[in-house]
Amino acid sequence: MKRSLSPLHSYGAGRSANRRIAIVAIVITALLAVAGFAAWFTGRGEQQDDARRSTSTASPSPSESAPKPSAGTGSVPKPPQISEPLAHAKAAALMLWSYDTRATTRDQQLAGMNAWMTRETKYTDWTSITAQVPDPVLWSRMGDNAQHATATITEAHYPSAFKQALAEDPAALTKAYIYAVTVTGKQQIAWKGGGGGAENRSVTLAVQCRPSHDCALVAIAPRVAP
């Protein structure tokens, strides 16, 4: 059975939990100051679908840094010049759900993903992004099978908890300008020999869109917010 690079895998959730909780807590405190939504966003995602977990292997190190730009970015697209949160979240989800091990090394995949991240390090949760990428051994095996994936986006919306939080405290957004966006779509995976399949996807992203600046990716939530 072929294994796929699928977002929302819980690679090393326990090992990176402390760092992720600390970073996300800063993000949510600055953004919302609403206890209920903060508790949701900092959850461990332990109720994720077992079928997705079945493809998990050893996780990247929690301290894994992005490869230097000299590694190139392979098939990973450059971040778009978009200043609208919903549109940027759609583009980011498309990037996360697409890959090509035939033309892209694991280091290139990570370098390409890192280019989408906000440079405001006190907010960024790089660990939640690297957790989406299989370990070097699995990536190599995927490459041996010429595994690659494309995706289509169905829709994007602000989660109800996020909209409620903004209604209660609109000014909270103006410190970090970080938006929660839930994106749905479908991922199509293929490998040599004519193998392939498709799966519906959903993800909640945190994106930063400061006025007069292009948006950037902040984090991937451990669970999908309706």
Side-chain angles (χ1 to χ4, degrees):
M1 179 177 68
K2 302 297 187 295
R3 290 180 171 180
S4 64
L5 166 54
S6 300
L8 298 180
H9 284 167
S10 55
Y11 296 123
R15 296 172 59 190
S16 63
N18 290 338
R19 173 176 168 77
R20 292 185 64 187
I21 290 173
I23 293 175
V24 174
I26 293 173
V27 172
I28 298 303
T29 299
L31 171 61
L32 301 175
V34 176
F37 194 63
W40 167 81
F41 203 89
T42 55
R44 307 289 183 84
E46 288 145 351
Q47 302 303 318
Q48 293 173 12
D49 187 88
D50 290 340
R52 293 182 184 178
R53 290 189 181 189
S54 67
T55 61
S56 301
T57 59
S59 70
S61 167
S63 61
E64 182 173 14
S65 60
K68 296 180 180 179
S70 59
T73 59
S75 63
V76 182
K78 294 181 179 179
Q81 294 181 321
I82 296 176
S83 58
E84 198 281 318
L86 294 178
H88 189 271
K90 287 181 178 180
L94 190 66
M95 179 274 294
L96 291 168
W97 294 336
S98 305
Y99 62 90
D100 190 345
T101 63
R102 301 168 301 178
T104 308
T105 67
R106 184 175 181 273
D107 280 354
Q108 289 175 328
Q109 185 74 23
L110 289 169
M113 295 166 77
N114 184 259
W116 288 67
M117 302 298 293
T118 178
R119 298 309 163 195
E120 297 184 36
T121 56
K122 66 179 179 178
Y123 298 128
T124 188
D125 182 7
W126 177 233
T127 300
S128 71
I129 308 300
T130 61
Q132 312 310 305
V133 182
D135 64 66
V137 173
L138 179 53
W139 186 271
S140 178
R141 291 175 180 171
M142 291 163 60
D144 292 341
N145 287 320
Q147 188 164 311
H148 54 286
T150 58
T152 55
I153 302 301
T154 304
E155 66 89 30
H157 66 272
Y158 298 118
S160 57
F162 177 79
K163 290 189 291 185
Q164 179 181 350
L166 288 184
E168 294 176 356
D169 186 6
L173 184 65
T174 60
K175 180 176 182 179
Y177 285 96
I178 295 175
Y179 301 78
V181 181
T182 294
V183 184
T184 60
K186 178 173 288 187
Q187 183 187 50
Q188 298 84 32
I189 303 171
W191 51 84
K192 67 181 181 181
E199 186 175 0
N200 293 327
R201 295 291 186 198
S202 295
V203 65
T204 297
L205 304 175
V207 297
Q208 185 178 48
C209 299
R210 289 193 180 278
S212 302
H213 289 78
D214 294 332
C215 296
L217 185 60
V218 173
I220 299 175
R223 290 180 294 187
V224 176

